[in-house]
């Protein structure tokens, strides 16, 4: 009975991973396509749309890299013993995951600088130069990526700790502790930045609402709505991000165990939920993307009626 239940859960998780990948790929492709088409039509593109487009492309690459690696690990784990292929596997995951996380972090920082309200002179300077702040953060992240790649190369060349996940003779999965721990530590850097941004945004919203009560102007002004809308997006991003990081930490803490295939699929389902779920939230939270999505649904509905 336990074996049947375990197999059933594995099949369910496999289906979830596939659905997450499809939804995430379609969502990110849609987001990138809408922004690129709008860019061609208008001849210019805003900073937010630039970040969203780059984020969508990086997440599409990450999902493709993740699914390729997952299928290789499950169907042909022996192929990952090849040093060249193993290095391509680890580097592709490291690079695509890095850009996916850091671009999302930059998006949160940009929204924070544009929407939050503080009288501090340093904050006002950063707010005025929000575009440059994002550019500097991306440049700094490239240094972090370079260090991450060097460490990943060293780990991937180790003879006994050679791949992130590998099957052993009894068909269980073994976690490469060094690889996971290293990438978890590098992931915690943008996670900490996002967390600080989130806390500061809450503080800004709290002060703003307090001032609105004193001034008796109500709560439906544009600034308050922007605060709440941005806060909702950041909360969702932070929630998915936290689940992803906690999953990495959990795997790192159990590096000496040999988890089952079920645990392996649980990890991948939570990992892929992050780039897939947050992209859907971005589409629904962005006016242009949401309208384009509704227009697409209306067009598909009309096509269906014409066909029938």
């Amino acid at each position: 009975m336990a074996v049947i239940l375990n197999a059933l859960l594995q099949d369910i998780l496999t289906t979830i991973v596939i659905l997450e990948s499809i939804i995430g790929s379609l969502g990110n492709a849609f987001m990138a396509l809408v922004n690129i088409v709008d860019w061609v039509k208008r001849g210019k593109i805003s900073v937010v749309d630039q970040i969203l487009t780059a984020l969508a492309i990086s997440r599409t690459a990450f999902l493709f890299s993740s699914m390729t690696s997952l299928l290789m690990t499950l169907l042909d784990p022996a192929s990952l013993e090849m040093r060249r292929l193993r290095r391509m596997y680890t580097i592709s995951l490291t690079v695509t995951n890095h850009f996916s996380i850091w671009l999302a972090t930059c998006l949160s920082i940009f929204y924070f600088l544009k929407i939050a309200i503080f009288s501090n002179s340093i904050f006002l300077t950063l707010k005025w130069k929000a575009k440059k702040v994002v550019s500097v953060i991306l440049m700094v992240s490239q240094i972090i990526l370079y260090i991450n790649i060097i460490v990943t190369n060293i780990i991937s060349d180790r003879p006994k700790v050679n791949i992130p996940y590998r099957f052993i003779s009894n068909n269980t999965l073994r976690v490469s502790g060094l690889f996971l721990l290293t990438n978890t530590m590098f992931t915690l850097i943008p996670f900490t930045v996002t967390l600080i941004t989130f806390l500061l945004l809450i503080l800004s919203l709290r002060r703003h609402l307090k001032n609105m009560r004193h001034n008796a102007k109500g709560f439906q002004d544009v600034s308050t709505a922007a605060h709440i809308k941005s806060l909702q997006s950041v909360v969702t991003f932070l929630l998915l991000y936290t689940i992803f990081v906690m999953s990495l930490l959990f795997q790192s803490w159990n590096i000496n165990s040999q988890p089952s295939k079920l645990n392996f699929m649980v990890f991948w389902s939570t990992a892929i939920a992050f780039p897939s779920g947050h992209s859907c939230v971005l589409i629904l939270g962005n006016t242009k993307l949401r309208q384009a999505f509704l227009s697409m649904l209306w067009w598909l509905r009309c096509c269906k009626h014409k066909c029938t």
Side-chain angles (χ1 to χ4, degrees):
M1 183 64 182
V3 176
I4 296 176
L5 181 60
N6 186 68
L8 179 61
L9 290 175
Q10 290 180 22
D11 292 339
I12 293 174
L13 288 172
T14 301
T15 304
I16 291 175
V17 169
I18 294 174
L19 290 176
E20 286 176 342
S21 300
I22 293 174
I23 293 173
S25 299
L26 292 176
N28 283 292
F30 173 80
M31 187 160 58
L33 182 62
V34 170
N35 285 326
I36 291 174
V37 170
D38 185 67
W39 183 12
V40 173
K41 287 182 178 180
R42 297 176 180 271
K44 60 181 180 179
I45 183 172
S46 65
V47 178
V48 172
D49 287 343
Q50 288 179 33
I51 299 175
L52 286 174
T53 303
L55 177 61
I57 294 173
S58 66
R59 281 180 166 169
T60 301
F62 174 72
L63 288 170
F64 177 78
S65 179
S66 298
M67 289 304 300
T68 301
S69 302
L70 177 60
L71 290 174
M72 289 173 60
T73 305
L74 293 176
L75 301 178
D76 189 19
S79 64
L80 296 178
E81 296 292 343
M82 299 173 58
R83 176 172 295 185
R84 184 176 180 182
L85 187 61
R86 182 171 66 245
R87 180 171 294 180
M88 290 176 57
Y89 166 81
T90 53
I91 293 300
S92 63
L93 279 177
T94 299
V95 173
T96 55
N97 180 63
H98 173 91
F99 282 107
S100 174
I101 291 175
W102 274 101
L103 284 169
T105 301
C106 288
L107 184 64
S108 299
I109 293 174
F110 185 81
Y111 279 142
F112 164 70
L113 292 176
K114 286 297 184 180
I115 297 174
I117 302 175
F118 291 103
S119 58
N120 184 277
S121 58
I122 297 178
F123 173 80
L124 293 176
T125 302
L126 294 176
K127 186 181 183 72
W128 181 256
K129 299 181 179 181
K131 184 177 180 179
K132 290 185 178 180
V133 171
V134 171
S135 299
V136 170
I137 292 175
L138 286 176
M139 290 177 62
V140 173
S141 73
Q142 302 312 302
I143 300 176
I144 297 176
L145 174 61
Y146 180 72
I147 298 174
N148 196 357
I149 290 176
I150 292 177
V151 176
T152 300
N153 271 330
I154 294 174
I155 293 173
S156 64
D157 286 338
R158 292 176 66 90
K160 292 185 179 181
V161 187
N162 46 20
I163 56 176
Y165 297 94
R166 62 188 289 259
F167 281 107
I168 55 179
S169 58
N170 59 356
N171 292 325
T172 60
L173 290 163
R174 186 176 184 178
V175 180
S176 171
L178 288 177
F179 181 85
L180 265 179
L181 186 60
T182 299
N183 280 275
T184 301
M185 293 302 102
F186 279 104
T187 301
L188 285 175
I189 299 174
F191 176 74
T192 303
V193 175
T194 302
L195 183 60
I196 294 173
T197 301
F198 172 69
L199 295 176
L200 290 175
L201 190 58
I202 291 179
L203 179 61
S204 174
L205 177 60
R206 181 174 176 272
R207 288 182 176 182
H208 181 71
L209 293 178
K210 185 177 180 180
N211 291 334
M212 292 303 297
R213 291 192 186 99
H214 281 293
N215 296 330
K217 293 182 180 180
F219 302 96
Q220 300 302 320
D221 66 321
V222 176
S223 181
T224 302
H227 264 78
I228 296 175
K229 187 176 180 180
S230 176
L231 188 61
Q232 290 173 343
S233 177
V234 174
V235 166
T236 306
F237 167 61
L238 191 62
L239 178 61
L240 292 170
Y241 197 177
T242 301
I243 294 174
F244 175 63
V245 173
M246 291 302 294
S247 179
L248 285 174
L249 291 174
F250 177 78
Q251 295 289 339
S252 299
W253 288 336
N254 292 275
I255 58 177
N256 294 323
S257 63
Q258 294 181 355
S260 64
K261 184 178 178 180
L262 180 61
N263 291 339
F264 178 71
M265 295 308 300
V266 168
F267 170 75
W268 275 105
S269 63
T270 55
I272 296 178
F274 173 48
S276 298
H278 185 235
S279 299
C280 294
V281 172
L282 288 175
I283 292 175
L284 297 177
N286 185 284
T287 303
K288 180 179 69 176
L289 294 175
R290 184 175 63 251
Q291 291 177 349
F293 180 70
L294 294 176
S295 299
M296 183 188 70
L297 292 180
W298 180 81
W299 178 78
L300 291 174
R301 184 179 180 182
C302 291
C303 290
K304 181 180 179 181
H305 285 304
K306 289 181 180 179
C307 293
T308 55

